[in-house]
Amino acid sequence: MSSNASFKRWHFIHTWSSLICTVFLLLLCLTGLPLIFNHELDDLLGNHIAAPEMPAGTPAAPLDKLADAARAYRPGEVIQYMIWERGEDETATLVTAPRPDTHPDSTQSLVSDTRTGGVLGQPPSRGLVFILLKLHTDMFAGLPGKLFLGFMGLLFVVSIVSGVVVYGPLMRKLDFGAIRRQKGRRLRWLDIHNLLGTATLVWVTVVGVTGVVCTLADVLLTAWRNDQLAEMVAPYKNLPPPTHLASLDVSVANAKAATPGMVPSFIAFPGTNFSSGHHYAIFMRGDTPLTSNLLRPVLVDAETGRLTESRELPWYVTAVLVAKPLHFGDYAGMPLKLMWALLDVATLVVLGSGVYLWFARRGQSRRRLEKLHARPGQPAAVK
């Protein structure tokens, strides 16, 4: 195949892979920008519930006290999860629902004080951050929406690779950062498009790939439940459900003893997606910035509090755990968030300029055809 034919093929791939996914990528970039600052946005909107000031070294309340207070606050509901956010040792989030298997969109979160055990409040369940997150993750279409956005992400990666093939040789002929301002609007925007595309190349690839991985989270979680988790809880398969729940404090103490150097990230109560009908699944995490997103599940018998089994998560679940904070720039505090936001804005310019260049090219081709038709004696076959 000649080099000219190869160029046309790659140009066709780049053009159409970009155009097909551009509208959805614009949605993802526009919603993703405020989500980079989701914690700060919650603070600004008054949705963040903070614990009151107390003397340093105030001891933590028993976990069972937190659970009892949450049940009293939401009578008739069960606790699905108890969650500790990184850097917020004074509070814990307890997720309650009518049933253990209630869909996450129909649950309610409570913020509790880990020192007093009391409920501090109930944050809004359908606020701005929730709407932005749903638009960004599944467009309010559930799993089909997630998989569709994952496919758009794959097209985005294809457009990045094909763009490097098409425009890489062109960029080598220009000084880096050169904008041909005297060559007309279309060429000027082409140079801006290529420059920003080159400057954001690594970032958009990382965000695109991690975004695709995140859209597969539900599928990969189901695979883990049907594979590793099913093996871990197999001895309990034919046993009746527990008649009472063991102490959370005893259960967590046993989990800590089995995982030295790790702290609880969240507890999945019996019957939820991360556990079985007979277990507390206590997910332990590392206590450093680099290991805080690496989890290890510890299964504890929900009736006796006795440790039953613990295994490293399979690679595909670990990939999701690593991909999500990297996708949103949630690894190194505000400096990384600001960098992510700047690169997000640059990507919006790349996407918008790409659409403009496509329409400008079509308009230029149409004008050329009109000029050909306008020439005297032009054969009728030329159309």
Side-chain angles (χ1 to χ4, degrees), residues 116-131:
T116 67
V119 176
L120 294 172
Q122 181 173 303
S125 60
R126 297 294 183 272
L128 177 61
V129 173
F130 171 82
I131 294 172

Side-chain angles (χ1 to χ4, degrees), residues 179-188 191:
I179 306 295
R180 293 171 288 182
R181 303 179 184 276
Q182 309 304 321
K183 297 291 186 178
R185 180 185 298 177
R186 194 179 73 83
L187 278 180
R188 184 166 65 251
D191 289 342

Side-chain angles (χ1 to χ4, degrees), residues 5-59:
S6 178
F7 175 84
K8 288 183 177 180
R9 182 186 63 183
W10 280 108
H11 190 276
F12 176 85
I13 293 172
H14 178 68
T15 298
W16 288 103
S17 61
S18 301
L19 285 173
I20 292 171
C21 67
T22 289
V23 172
F24 300 99
L25 288 175
L26 286 170
L27 170 68
L28 294 175
C29 286
L30 288 171
T31 55
L33 184 58
L35 286 174
I36 295 172
F37 306 100
N38 65 315
H39 297 297
E40 292 77 10
L41 187 58
D42 272 334
D43 289 340
L44 181 65
L45 296 174
N47 296 334
H48 180 257
I49 300 175
E53 292 289 338
M54 286 189 177
T58 300

Side-chain angles (χ1 to χ4, degrees), residues 141-153:
L143 182 58
K146 290 182 180 181
L147 297 179
F148 177 80
L149 289 177
F151 179 63
M152 292 299 104

